[in-house]
């Protein structure tokens, strides 16, 4: 689209669309029903203790992982986000990811004080798209999942560090980003000095991410 703009060709909606087959939607419904997750995008959240003890009215998906770990945020911080989402908004969290990321997803679950649904390694790519389409919000790092979520119409909050959100973030007003305040970010490197470790993400505070998530939920 950037190339076409140079020729005066524009579009009112730059967000790509991913159409899901009935079969994929049905399979995703089976997966979420098996987890006893409620329907997405329902009415306002009840803050009563009875509601909290049964199940929430909304749930979000989280993808804490990337093919490149220098794009990832801390596991402990993800656990804080999950606990905060439930205590503050009564919103349940569903972790998604590949089979190779399941063990790290298990580690996040173990650090949480609330129930977390772990689907890492349990869906095909098509089923993942279906699950994301039912999610009230998708929260993740710079990877494929935020783009899939945006393409199926789910709002997103994506954390960026060394990679440039201005070029890689899903387009559209419903897709928000979080990025560090450090002047060196984005550096376009594979971590600080190509070390595979990104200090900008290590120092990114939970409170800043919470602020953008709150904006997305409102």
């Amino acid at each position: 689209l950037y190339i076409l703009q140079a020729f005066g060709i524009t579009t009112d909606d730059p967000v790509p669309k991913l159409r899901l087959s009935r079969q994929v939607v049905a399979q995703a419904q089976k997966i979420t029903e098996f987890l006893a997750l409620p329907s997405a995008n329902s009415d306002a959240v009840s803050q009563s203790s009875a509601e909290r003890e049964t199940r929430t009215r909304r749930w979000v998906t989280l993808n804490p992982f990337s093919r490149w770990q220098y794009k990832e945020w801390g596991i402990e911080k993800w656990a804080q986000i999950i606990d905060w989402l439930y205590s503050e908004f009564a919103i349940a969290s569903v972790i998604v990811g590949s089979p190779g990321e399941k063990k790290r997803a298990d580690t996040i679950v173990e650090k949480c004080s609330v129930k977390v649904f772990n689907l890492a390694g349990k869906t095909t790519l098509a089923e993942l798209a279906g699950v994301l389409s039912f999610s009230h919000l998708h929260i993740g790092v710079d990877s494929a999942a935020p783009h899939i979520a945006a393409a199926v119409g789910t709002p997103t909050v994506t954390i960026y560090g060394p990679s440039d959100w201005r070029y890689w973030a899903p387009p559209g007003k419903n897709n928000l980003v979080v990025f560090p305040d450090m002047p060196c970010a984005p550096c376009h490197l594979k971590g600080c000095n190509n070390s595979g470790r990104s200090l900008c993400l290590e120092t990114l505070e939970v409170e800043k991410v919470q602020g953008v998530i709150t904006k997305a939920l409102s």
Side-chain angles (χ1 to χ4, degrees):
L1 291 178
Y2 285 134
I3 295 174
L4 293 176
Q5 286 176 6
F7 295 92
I9 302 172
T10 61
T11 177
D12 293 331
D13 185 7
V15 183
K17 299 295 189 294
L18 180 61
R19 309 297 180 184
L20 303 179
S21 69
R22 292 181 179 178
Q23 180 180 0
V24 167
V25 171
Q27 190 60 30
Q29 286 176 332
K30 289 181 180 179
I31 292 171
T32 55
E33 288 172 0
F34 176 76
L35 295 177
L37 290 168
S39 298
N41 302 319
S42 59
D43 297 330
V45 176
S46 168
Q47 295 293 326
S48 68
S49 58
E51 178 70 28
R52 292 176 185 276
E53 287 299 319
T54 53
R55 62 183 188 178
T56 60
R57 294 184 183 275
R58 297 185 294 179
W59 52 275
V60 301
T61 47
L62 294 91
N63 178 37
F65 314 112
S66 171
R67 179 181 179 185
W68 311 105
Q69 291 192 22
Y70 63 85
K71 295 182 179 182
E72 296 181 354
W73 203 35
I75 283 179
E76 294 79 5
K77 294 179 178 179
W78 280 112
Q80 291 181 53
I81 290 293
I82 291 171
D83 287 346
W84 168 76
L85 280 167
Y86 194 80
S87 63
E88 186 72 19
F89 302 101
I91 293 179
S93 296
V94 179
I95 299 177
V96 297
S98 68
E101 295 161 346
K102 183 182 182 303
K103 288 186 177 180
R104 288 194 291 153
D106 288 337
T107 301
I108 295 176
V109 173
E110 292 169 0
K111 293 182 179 294
C112 295
S113 60
V114 300
K115 182 175 178 58
V116 186
F117 301 92
N118 187 1
L119 282 181
K122 297 181 180 179
T123 64
T124 65
L125 189 59
E127 290 168 348
L128 171 61
V131 170
L132 292 173
S133 73
F134 294 150
S135 173
H136 185 77
L137 174 70
H138 177 73
I139 309 167
V141 296
D142 181 16
S143 64
H147 293 277
I148 297 174
V152 296
T154 298
T156 64
V157 171
T158 311
I159 299 173
Y160 286 85
S163 53
D164 198 333
W165 58 91
R166 292 166 294 189
Y167 293 103
W168 295 109
K173 64 180 181 179
N174 291 328
N175 301 307
L176 307 181
V177 298
V178 190
F179 50 88
D181 294 323
M182 296 179 66
C184 57
C187 64
H188 307 280
L189 301 176
K190 295 182 178 181
C192 300
N193 298 315
N194 289 319
S195 65
R197 177 182 176 186
S198 300
L199 292 177
C200 62
L201 289 176
E202 292 181 11
T203 57
L204 179 62
E205 297 179 349
V206 171
E207 291 76 14
K208 183 168 185 177
V209 177
Q210 288 174 335
V212 179
I213 292 174
T214 300
K215 180 179 179 182
L217 290 174
S218 63

